[in-house]
Amino acid sequence: AALSSYQMADSLLVAQELTEGKDVRKNILLAARPRSIELLYEGEGHVKNNDLKAARSCYRRSNDLQLKYGLQTDPDIVKHTTSLRKSIFTQECINVQQYADSCYNKGQFFEIDGKYLEANSAYASGISIIATNNECAISKDSLESALLQIRNAVTYLELMQQVRKDQDNGSYQNAIDNFMNASTYFQEMNVQRYGFNHDPDVYRFIREKGSLGLINYSGDWYREKGELDNSLSMYKLLLDRNYDARFLSGSLYKLGQKVGQKDKPLNPGSRWKDLVKQYTGGDKKLNRFKKGYKKGYKKGG
């Protein structure tokens, strides 16, 4: 309070162009020195309560006073300043160690539940805080070892996660490519040891878990690859799910042409009307396929 009053007096001194009283500087120092030490003691109390934000504030405010009034070399102040700085650092490192331990334990629990992405995130968080506070010299060996043990599971899950993202973003070829990459990785890295099952058949994956957009894309994809039965199967699946046939008009026509061209040399004496029924079953939704088939069959292979 005394120091605060002196500081207010200093402001008036300048503002009103007054003359400084005798021994004022000496008296200010008599207030500034104990206040600087008092702040350091307050800081130590905050450290004991693990309130490092408040402790650092006390440390800074004390330092400001020391700089303002030339107290940096005062033996008592130097001793208490050093003590508070060490206390803050020690408590910080204790907190980092506790957080890292907590991350490791969380990761272990996630592993038990088969939640490998969550376990990976927990281990990575522990490693990150240790790296950020490397001056604490805390070992991260156990965290890194745990991370390594689940790396194959995490990589596989991330690939499958990317497949879902690709579907959501409309990147359907990437979704197919990443699914096939995940299938290869699953086999090569023996990912099933983590308790996963994975059917590598991309056709079944698209039919059973693909979005409408991916199914539509795969109809064209299979057609261009020459896998015409798979292509028609995808379009039929869309129609069964009440997908608007108008949006498939061009695709069905192109597919019909290709199928008709393929069938002509295999059935030279047959009527196209008889042959196309094995594909359409008389379904009027496949009329565009039928028209394309007629043109393709008459053109021949």
Side-chain angles (χ1 to χ4, degrees):
L3 184 59
S4 178
S5 295
Y6 281 128
Q7 288 170 340
M8 289 175 63
D10 268 349
S11 298
L12 287 171
L13 192 71
V14 175
Q16 303 298 326
E17 298 180 355
L18 303 174
T19 302
E20 188 176 282
K22 186 180 179 181
D23 295 331
V24 168
R25 290 297 107 189
K26 180 181 177 182
N27 289 335
I28 288 177
L29 286 176
L30 289 175
R33 183 179 181 278
R35 178 55 183 154
S36 179
I37 293 174
E38 184 179 48
L39 283 166
L40 296 171
Y41 275 119
E42 287 178 16
E44 292 283 4
H46 289 308
V47 171
K48 289 178 181 177
N49 292 325
N50 202 11
D51 187 353
L52 298 187
K53 182 179 179 180
R56 292 189 195 98
S57 175
C58 289
Y59 181 86
R60 284 193 297 270
R61 288 158 63 199
S62 176
N63 268 352
D64 290 344
L65 288 177
Q66 293 171 38
L67 289 170
K68 185 173 182 177
Y69 298 111
L71 300 169
Q72 307 97 308
T73 58
D74 183 287
D76 251 5
I77 291 178
V78 169
K79 181 181 74 172
H80 289 298
T81 299
T82 302
S83 174
L84 177 56
R85 185 169 60 248
K86 287 181 178 178
S87 295
I88 291 173
F89 175 76
T90 299
Q91 188 60 49
E92 280 178 336
C93 291
I94 290 171
N95 291 347
V96 170
Q97 181 69 70
Q98 289 176 343
Y99 181 80
D101 291 343
S102 172
C103 287
Y104 179 82
N105 292 332
K106 283 181 182 177
Q108 292 288 290
F109 282 121
F110 281 133
E111 274 196 57
I112 291 170
D113 290 339
K115 298 178 179 178
Y116 294 102
L117 288 175
E118 291 86 343
N120 183 73
S121 179
Y123 295 143
S125 183
I127 291 170
S128 176
I129 196 169
I130 289 173
T132 303
N133 297 272
N134 60 351
E135 67 278 3
C136 292
I138 295 171
S139 172
K140 54 181 183 289
D141 290 350
S142 59
L143 285 161
E144 288 179 334
S145 177
L147 202 66
L148 186 62
Q149 291 295 318
I150 63 171
R151 178 171 295 169
N152 295 146
V154 170
T155 300
Y156 164 73
L157 289 171
E158 286 176 342
L159 281 168
M160 292 302 295
Q161 198 173 60
Q162 188 59 48
V163 171
R164 289 188 289 275
K165 288 180 182 178
D166 290 334
Q167 285 198 71
D168 293 341
N169 296 332
S171 302
Y172 300 123
Q173 187 58 55
N174 287 339
I176 291 170
D177 291 342
N178 280 320
F179 177 81
M180 291 192 290
N181 289 338
S183 298
T184 300
Y185 189 87
F186 186 90
Q187 181 64 33
E188 290 179 350
M189 298 301 173
N190 190 28
V191 178
Q192 65 183 20
R193 72 184 187 274
Y194 294 99
F196 298 131
N197 293 313
H198 178 84
D199 184 348
D201 191 317
V202 67
Y203 171 80
R204 279 199 295 269
F205 169 76
I206 295 170
R207 283 189 61 88
E208 295 171 8
K209 298 182 180 178
S211 64
L212 291 179
L214 178 59
I215 295 170
N216 190 5
Y217 175 86
S218 68
D220 296 343
W221 181 62
Y222 278 122
R223 186 187 70 236
E224 296 307 312
K225 287 176 63 179
E227 298 182 27
L228 306 183
D229 289 341
N230 286 346
S231 176
L232 182 57
S233 172
M234 292 299 172
Y235 295 136
K236 284 182 175 179
L237 179 61
L238 288 173
L239 294 172
D240 287 344
R241 295 183 181 180
N242 297 318
Y243 196 84
D244 195 329
R246 290 174 296 176
F247 296 137
L248 299 177
S249 177
S251 298
L252 285 169
Y253 188 83
K254 290 177 184 177
L255 178 61
Q257 277 187 291
K258 286 200 169 190
V259 176
Q261 286 176 323
K262 173 181 73 72
D263 283 357
K264 179 60 180 289
L266 300 175
N267 305 276
S270 301
R271 296 172 65 233
W272 73 268
K273 287 185 178 181
D274 296 330
L275 294 173
V276 76
K277 289 179 182 178
Q278 64 183 310
Y279 302 107
T280 65
D283 189 343
K284 292 182 179 180
K285 291 180 181 178
L286 294 171
N287 276 345
R288 287 294 292 168
F289 174 89
K290 182 178 178 181
K291 289 180 180 180
Y293 186 92
K294 175 182 178 182
K295 183 175 181 180
Y297 189 83
K298 289 186 174 181
K299 183 177 178 182

